[in-house]
Amino acid sequence: MSDTCEQDETNILGRLLWSFIAMAKNQPRRFTLGFSVSQNGEVYVYLCTTEKVHYANIGVLPYCTEDRAQVTTTVRFLLLVYMQLPKDTGILMHKAGNIPETFRTQDILHGCSIDSVSDLSDMEITILNGKARSGRREALFGPRSWIFDASVKSATETANHILKFHWHNDNSSEVFVHAKVEEFKVPHTPQLVGAIAIPARDGGSVAGEMILLDDAGKDIYTFFSRLQPENSYQMTDMFAGYFHALLAAATGDGRKFVLHRDVSVKNLLVKNMQPFLIDWGCGIVADIDIPRYAPKYAMVGTMPFMSLRVLSKRSNRSLIDDLESLFIVFAHCLWLRYGTIPAEDKKFWDGTAPSSDLLNFRIRWLLCESSFIKNMKLENCPEELRNLAKVMYGLVYPLSKVALYNIYEDVTDPQLATFNAREWVAAFDTAAASSKSANVTRVNLEHLRDRR
């Protein structure tokens, strides 16, 4: 496969990476090898593994003419791809769309080496809507996943479920993380119905999982967009539930704890007026007594909702990063429903802006509380939700800091022992008290208060 673009070092790398991304949409790959030739005859080689992108200048080609000015001003790429095979992954691992409408587990995992099967072998699965609802499919490296809405028929019933394929290379088993979440009795998480593990092959480190969860409804913005203004208190109650789930996971059992690390609009769901936090594929199980570190190159999460510390490529992660992402999701929902996002800023919400540009945008937007609310133009937003946004802002970005971009200068990871959950519960209470529906019972907030 070949492609061309104008000679420019940034453009060369950007165009090549775009080609990698385009190929990654439908095919898991063990590695991608690329070559480029510049207008000066310089040869670059690129290697995109499941972990990282490497590239280097390997020399200069001889010219066909003495007049260098006549050399073409385009750059050509040759891309060689070694793909995963169906026997490595199962056929659904290759597809985001155009998948079999109805199948059994053995039909899609034929030829795979399977470690374990849990209650899935006799189920008939029907994919709803014909394509994946979400997932991390276009990333160059790190975990990759497909998430489907599915109808599952067993020997006793037919019910809707969440079907997920998770492909990882760093021992980040979502089944293991989810087991810890259930062990810690974390509320507002869907039940794990069953899972299949696909071990790494041929001495490699890339392993896969097929996971089936109870259905958890629609994403939080879909719920919010249909909510009547007089019922806006329900939005406060949903976010009290999400906070409860993140807090319980990060508290753990006194020895170990879990960080979600991918709080986003698509991972916050609502079904039958109950909030659910899904997709623990980027989650990490860690020990209370050791610092919580993530590799510096691994900007884990969904780009528009990453915390400042993650966007700054700092290695430390803690509960406050998940809560900052929760606040960004809440503010984004308000902005979409009641405010106006300028056309030039939409790229910061669709994931196309570079992380450095997104970081600068975030700092401009959130520089102080007054500009944060003013920039979103929330004059028509219900008072309860506007007040909740303000108090959450104050908790995520302490006002004692001189500047927003200095907030995470400390190289140490804040321990959970220094985190004051009561301040967050009080924030939800304060917002609820300012509502015209102050006397309406908020079930999830009541449960959160009981936890104290």
Side-chain angles (χ1 to χ4, degrees), residues 313-333:
K313 300 183 180 180
R314 299 184 183 278
S315 60
N316 300 325
R317 297 293 291 268
S318 72
L319 173 61
I320 193 61
D321 295 291
D322 281 348
L323 296 182
E324 182 176 352
S325 295
L326 186 69
F327 161 71
I328 296 298
V329 171
F330 182 72
H332 181 51
C333 287

Side-chain angles (χ1 to χ4, degrees), residues 16-37:
L16 187 63
L17 296 185
W18 182 255
S19 297
F20 282 140
I21 292 172
M23 288 186 298
K25 285 183 177 180
N26 294 310
Q27 290 279 8
R29 69 274 178 271
R30 290 187 179 175
F31 63 81
T32 306
L33 186 64
F35 296 94
S36 70
V37 182

